[in-house]
Amino acid sequence: MGSEADMTGPLLAGGSGVAPAAEAEVVPPWREQLTVRGIVVSAILGVLFCLITHKLNLTVGIIPSLNVAAGLLGYFLVRTWTAALERFGIVSKPFTKQENTVIQTCVVACYGLAFSGGFGSYMLAMDQKTYELIGTDYPGNRAVDVKNPSLSWMIGFMFVVSFLGLFSLVALRKVMVIDYKLTYPSGTATAMLINSFHTTSGAELAEKQVSCLGKYLSISFIWNCFKWFFSGVGDSCGFDNFPSLGLAAFKNTFYFDFSPTYIGCGLICPHIVNCSTLLGAIISWGFLWPYISTKAGEWYPAGLGSNDFKGLYGYKVFISVSVILGDGIYNLIKIIYATIKEIMNARSKQGRLPLVRAQDDDESSELSSEEKLLNDVFVKDSIPPWLAGSGYVGLAAISTATVPMMFPQLKWYLVLSAYVVAPLLAFCNSYGTGLTDWNLASTYGKIGLFIFASWVGQHGGVIAGLAACGVMMSIVSTAADLMQDFKTGYFTLSSPRSMFVSQLIGTALGCVIAPLTFWLYWSAFDVGNPDGMFKAPYAVIFREMAILGVEGFSALPQHCLAICSFFFFAAIAINLLRDVTPDSVSKFIPLPMAMAVPFYIGAYFAIDMFVGTVILFVWEKINRKESEDFAGAVASGLICGDGIWSVPSAILSIMRIDPPMCMYFKPSLA
């Protein structure tokens, strides 16, 4: 999908592959691309995808791209809507690919806030439970640096920080999509899918994919319902604690826990991601943690609790942080370097921003006429630069005044300084996402966390750093998602104006839906319990980063700094090795970021994801075409079914209805 020729073929252009066919296509006005049914469908899917994102955020922190699933389910729900109306003799408007794109854009904007809103990371890191988990006597962990979740301030915070990212780069959409010709692989893939739905042969395949998704959604939902009956009271019963590899392996978190969500993630994520995750689990839980545990009494006091940061738990968290930071900083520097290099090359060749080059031969002329239609539609309904500029300045002013009211530790001039540099960081992240498909918003957020925490110091630095992280992450992540969706709209002949309005609507929905769906988990489950299902691993990691920014390295356990330094530079070295070796070699070199996740969480989810990747690998060998057509639908069904089950599961928990049985395993001699 990487070459420009691949992305200007018939499927993406929306016609038969020749210019006249493309020109014959009727593009509806931008207002007709926005429909009431589209907004209703977007809200329904927004709730579903927010539930899924929260569950993944609060369990393992790995969230696969759900853009394709949003496009597929949007198509399914509107088709169901129109079919139901036809039975009553009501004729509805035709369902166009532009409306499909607008729905997908709205859904992505909505559920994107479940991630960038920090409900499993910086926002949860402020609460009392995370403060107590780290330890009330832990250096730098102060009782004054606590702010517990509340719907009122969370919804208010979402509204004052989430819209700025939409205005920060919207004026550069032509530069990023047309002039720079950035790939945005996920956006391009989603456009291919949506375009295929709205062709005769593609519609037939889409119906089969929808049927497949529904089948596996039902299987996943029924399986979760079945599992519930055996899960008992507490967190030690049921299939989620099934010692499938033996009790000794189970103690080191090596077991298969029958999770449809993680198997689905394994089907969606590339093989190298799943294998890297398993390798990280083997290194950490197979060798490193057992070795460090033998040093109890030498490196750290013996007899400490399993969640005491002065002991093994501290090593787990800080070594995870070091790998994540090493990987993030390397990729950040690499992408900034690539961005500067590309811009300088373009200017040296043309003396200005790179423009679409004219082609001379016949084949290229045919392509450029098709491309001309795409470009004309994309620039037709422009969004005035004055609107983008005044919108950003106005929203920044409101946010600068209101954020310090919610977080007094984060003074107004700190918020203002964040908004001054945010557009530059948003551009770097959006450009990098266009090149690599990697959204590094969390890395920019962590850097902001360190800077602002150390800037404020011991008197409120932890809360100030975490809140500043939220401000930075929201802008940088939203801007990258916007450009990704603009790329989808470019290839589906959708109006940028309708997509921008859809982003605004989706963001407004997300500001309400994301906190409400999080509150469902928060009220029903023991969120943040390191021994429970919803560990919220990144809450602890983000608070420790903030403490580290304030206190420095004095808080680390013995020898922890040396081990962390080794893993930090190892992450950089592995990434460098991936970049300097040929593709035939680099594709087998693991990804440090994926390896870091099980260091803290455990090996069980890595085994589930590896099962998913093995299923996909065998499927590809048996029937590659079928796997390409249906693997995404199967994965989406497994993940969505698990996500839907979280609603009745939460209701049962709120009503204090416990499962009737506890399936538990112990040695036969015990």
Side-chain angles (χ1 to χ4, degrees):
M1 193 182 303
S3 69
E4 194 62 36
D6 290 335
M7 293 182 291
T8 51
L11 195 57
L12 289 174
S16 61
V18 292
E23 290 172 2
E25 183 168 349
V26 177
V27 180
W30 73 271
R31 286 187 176 85
E32 293 182 12
Q33 297 173 23
L34 292 160
T35 61
V36 174
R37 71 183 178 192
I39 295 171
V40 172
V41 166
S42 299
I44 294 169
L45 292 179
V47 172
L48 173 60
F49 283 105
C50 280
L51 287 169
I52 294 169
T53 303
H54 285 318
K55 180 168 184 178
L56 291 169
N57 240 340
L58 296 173
T59 50
V60 297
I62 293 179
I63 304 169
S65 174
L66 300 172
N67 292 28
V68 170
L72 181 61
L73 284 172
Y75 175 86
F76 166 67
L77 287 181
V78 174
R79 285 295 190 197
T80 304
W81 178 308
T82 54
L85 291 178
E86 284 175 4
R87 289 189 176 182
F88 293 100
I90 302 173
V91 179
S92 54
K93 289 174 59 179
F95 182 43
T96 63
K97 62 184 180 183
Q98 286 81 11
E99 185 181 356
N100 204 160
T101 303
V102 164
I103 291 171
Q104 183 266 340
T105 300
C106 190
V107 174
V108 170
C110 180
Y111 89 78
L113 294 188
F115 165 70
S116 63
F119 298 99
S121 55
Y122 64 82
M123 201 176 280
L124 208 54
M126 303 177 187
D127 82 325
Q128 182 76 21
K129 189 177 293 184
T130 307
Y131 159 73
E132 293 174 354
L133 181 61
I134 291 175
T136 55
D137 58 344
Y138 190 80
N141 191 36
R142 298 175 177 82
V144 292
D145 291 321
V146 170
K147 188 174 182 67
N148 287 310
S150 164
L151 275 178
S152 57
W153 76 258
M154 287 193 302
I155 292 175
F157 182 71
M158 288 288 96
F159 270 105
V160 296
V161 303
S162 298
F163 288 90
L164 280 99
L166 301 179
F167 289 91
S168 62
L169 290 187
V170 68
L172 297 179
R173 73 191 185 285
K174 178 179 176 292
V175 173
M176 305 289 268
V177 174
I178 296 178
D179 294 346
Y180 282 7
K181 294 184 181 294
L182 293 176
T183 311
Y184 291 103
S186 289
T188 303
T190 307
M192 290 178 67
L193 181 78
I194 291 174
N195 278 334
S196 71
F197 287 167
H198 298 272
T199 62
T200 305
S201 59
E204 293 175 3
L205 177 60
E207 295 295 337
K208 293 178 182 177
Q209 288 173 328
V210 165
S211 176
C212 179
L213 186 147
K215 174 183 173 182
Y216 283 92
L217 185 150
S218 303
I219 291 172
S220 176
F221 183 86
I222 293 169
W223 170 245
N224 276 282
C225 180
F226 175 77
K227 284 202 305 180
W228 178 82
F229 285 94
F230 300 90
S231 56
V233 180
D235 299 303
S236 60
C237 304
F239 286 93
D240 292 338
N241 295 278
F242 195 99
S244 47
L245 301 177
L247 290 170
F250 180 79
K251 289 180 181 178
N252 283 316
T253 71
F254 283 95
Y255 59 94
F256 177 64
D257 75 344
F258 300 91
S259 169
T261 293
Y262 304 146
I263 295 172
C265 289
L267 285 166
I268 289 178
C269 293
H271 294 305
I272 189 62
V273 172
N274 301 316
C275 293
S276 299
T277 305
L278 183 62
L279 179 61
I282 293 170
I283 291 172
S284 55
W285 292 90
F287 297 99
L288 189 58
W289 306 150
Y291 172 75
I292 294 178
S293 64
T294 64
K295 299 297 181 181
E298 297 179 44
W299 291 8
Y300 58 91
L304 296 175
S306 61
N307 301 314
D308 195 318
F309 269 85
K310 300 183 187 69
L312 179 61
Y313 192 68
Y315 291 91
K316 293 177 182 178
V317 172
F318 286 115
I319 293 173
S320 301
V321 169
S322 66
V323 177
I324 291 169
L325 285 179
D327 184 278
I329 290 172
Y330 176 86
N331 283 289
L332 180 63
I333 293 171
K334 183 179 79 172
I335 287 173
I336 291 175
Y337 170 75
T339 302
I340 295 172
K341 184 179 177 182
E342 287 287 326
I343 293 173
M344 296 304 293
N345 286 344
R347 287 182 174 175
S348 64
K349 289 178 182 178
Q350 302 179 7
R352 52 199 172 90
L353 288 178
L355 301 175
V356 179
R357 289 188 293 274
Q359 308 288 345
D360 296 325
D361 55 82
D362 294 338
E363 184 180 352
S364 299
S365 305
E366 197 171 282
L367 258 181
S368 63
S369 62
E370 227 177 271
E371 195 172 316
K372 185 176 182 301
L373 174 64
L374 296 172
N375 294 347
D376 288 346
V377 172
F378 192 71
V379 300
K380 179 184 175 184
D381 296 319
S382 62
I383 299 158
W386 65 265
L387 177 64
S390 59
Y392 186 84
V393 171
L395 289 171
I398 294 170
S399 185
T400 301
T402 53
V403 168
M405 296 179 186
M406 302 176 192
F407 304 100
Q409 300 90 336
L410 191 64
K411 304 300 182 184
W412 68 267
Y413 54 86
L414 299 176
V415 181
L416 183 62
S417 63
Y419 286 138
V420 170
V421 300
L424 175 62
L425 299 180
F427 173 81
C428 293
N429 189 43
S430 296
Y431 195 101
T433 304
L435 292 174
T436 65
D437 212 31
W438 279 26
N439 188 337
L440 296 178
S442 61
T443 301
Y444 288 96
K446 292 181 190 103
I447 293 171
L449 189 159
F450 275 117
I451 292 172
F452 285 94
S454 58
W455 189 349
V456 175
Q458 295 185 348
H459 301 290
V462 171
I463 291 292
L466 292 168
C469 172
V471 171
M472 301 294 287
M473 264 186 74
S474 178
I475 295 175
V476 172
S477 178
T478 305
D481 288 342
L482 177 69
M483 287 300 163
Q484 191 89 261
D485 288 333
F486 273 146
K487 188 71 174 184
T488 303
Y490 173 76
F491 282 126
T492 58
L493 297 173
S494 302
S495 166
R497 192 172 295 180
S498 67
M499 297 193 70
F500 184 67
V501 174
S502 176
Q503 279 270 355
L504 291 172
I505 295 170
T507 302
L509 289 172
C511 289
V512 177
I513 292 173
L516 286 175
T517 47
F518 167 76
W519 201 253
L520 182 68
Y521 284 100
W522 180 258
S523 304
F525 304 109
D526 188 13
V527 174
N529 179 2
D531 299 318
M533 180 181 179
F534 297 99
K535 296 177 176 63
Y538 280 97
V540 171
I541 288 174
F542 271 67
R543 189 173 183 91
E544 278 293 350
M545 286 181 180
I547 293 171
L548 210 57
V550 173
E551 295 291 320
F553 296 111
S554 60
L556 298 177
Q558 188 178 0
H559 299 300
C560 189
L561 179 58
I563 299 173
C564 286
S565 300
F566 170 79
F567 278 94
F568 176 84
F569 289 109
I572 294 175
I574 292 171
N575 274 303
L576 185 61
L577 194 62
R578 284 179 56 85
D579 286 337
V580 299
T581 53
D583 290 342
S584 58
V585 177
S586 64
K587 66 182 182 180
F588 296 109
I589 299 175
L591 299 166
M593 185 71 80
M595 293 173 65
V597 179
F599 271 54
Y600 172 64
I601 298 167
Y604 61 93
F605 84 94
I607 292 173
D608 290 356
M609 291 179 67
F610 187 72
V611 168
T613 211
V614 169
I615 292 171
L616 181 60
F617 180 79
V618 173
W619 194 357
E620 288 172 340
K621 292 297 180 183
I622 295 173
N623 191 332
R624 190 171 192 86
K625 180 68 169 66
E626 186 181 72
S627 70
E628 290 173 353
D629 288 341
F630 295 102
V634 172
S636 300
L638 292 174
I639 294 171
C640 292
D642 210 350
I644 292 172
W645 167 251
S646 64
V647 176
S649 175
I651 293 171
L652 290 169
S653 179
I654 291 169
M655 295 174 66
R656 299 291 182 261
I657 299 175
D658 297 320
M661 293 173 279
C662 171
M663 184 172 68
Y664 180 76
F665 297 86
K666 61 182 180 179
S668 57
L669 297 177

